[in-house]
Amino acid sequence: MREFLQAAKDVLTPVVLLALLYALAYILIKGSRIAAEGLEKLRGEAEASGRTAQAAAFKLAVTVLDGVANTVVSVMESQKAYALRQKVKDGEAAPEDLKALSQEAYMRIIQMLDVQVRADLDSCLADTETYIRDKIEEVLPQIKAAYRETVLEATPGEW
């Protein structure tokens, strides 16, 4: 009897797993169809209301903002931020100086953005300033790491 139960278990386990996998696949396919229909409906509504142009303008504005933020943060990292962080670490400068540098980066980005780009961002965002500051924080770790690698490669004997 024990062998029979083990054999039944060995046969039924893959069958049950296959049935569960089939059910999961069915649910995913059905869900994706429902989602696609919903997205198509939203796209149709957006085109009807003229928001497609606004969405495209916003996407372009974000692309411009990404480029400007990367450029400004890279320049500031190479000119000021890296050295300032070292001074703060050594106690030669106050942490508030880093906050002031962040404000300077924000102001430079605002100055570099075209009026139309800022208007496109403002039309789709509730708080453009926070979005830009978050963008600075988003690109900063990658730029810091890249700059650190560059400095270490340029002066291998000093580290």
Side-chain angles (χ1 to χ4, degrees), residues 43-103:
R43 187 186 64 76
E45 290 172 1
E47 285 179 355
S49 68
R51 290 189 319 221
T52 303
Q54 182 182 16
F58 176 72
K59 185 176 180 181
L60 181 60
V62 169
T63 301
V64 170
L65 174 61
D66 287 344
V68 170
N70 276 316
T71 302
V72 167
V73 172
S74 294
V75 168
M76 293 192 75
E77 180 68 20
S78 66
Q79 290 179 349
K80 299 177 182 179
Y82 182 80
L84 183 58
R85 271 194 299 282
Q86 295 300 319
K87 288 181 179 179
V88 169
K89 183 179 174 183
D90 296 339
E92 299 171 6
E96 291 78 28
D97 294 341
L98 288 172
K99 289 180 184 176
L101 199 58
S102 174
Q103 177 64 23

Side-chain angles (χ1 to χ4, degrees), residues 3-148:
E3 291 175 4
F4 175 76
L5 290 176
Q6 184 61 37
K9 181 181 174 185
D10 290 342
V11 170
L12 290 177
T13 300
V15 171
V16 170
L17 289 176
L18 183 62
L20 288 174
L21 183 61
Y22 178 79
L24 179 64
Y26 178 78
I27 290 170
L28 289 174
I29 290 170
K30 195 67 162 169
S32 69
R33 284 184 186 156
I34 291 170
E37 290 171 2
L39 288 174
E40 186 62 29
K41 182 179 175 185
L42 288 174
R43 187 186 64 76
E45 290 172 1
E47 285 179 355
S49 68
R51 290 189 319 221
T52 303
Q54 182 182 16
F58 176 72
K59 185 176 180 181
L60 181 60
V62 169
T63 301
V64 170
L65 174 61
D66 287 344
V68 170
N70 276 316
T71 302
V72 167
V73 172
S74 294
V75 168
M76 293 192 75
E77 180 68 20
S78 66
Q79 290 179 349
K80 299 177 182 179
Y82 182 80
L84 183 58
R85 271 194 299 282
Q86 295 300 319
K87 288 181 179 179
V88 169
K89 183 179 174 183
D90 296 339
E92 299 171 6
E96 291 78 28
D97 294 341
L98 288 172
K99 289 180 184 176
L101 199 58
S102 174
Q103 177 64 23
E104 183 181 338
Y106 171 76
M107 294 307 295
R108 282 191 184 183
I109 289 171
I110 290 297
Q111 291 169 354
M112 291 179 75
L113 289 179
D114 183 71
V115 174
Q116 184 60 49
V117 171
R118 283 188 280 163
D120 291 339
L121 290 170
D122 289 339
S123 71
C124 294
L125 297 172
D127 188 356
T128 306
E129 179 180 349
T130 300
Y131 186 82
I132 293 171
R133 290 184 186 281
D134 289 345
K135 184 63 68 177
I136 292 169
E137 294 301 319
E138 178 184 313
V139 300
L140 187 59
Q142 298 138 346
I143 292 172
K144 282 169 49 176
Y147 185 74
R148 241 187 331 261

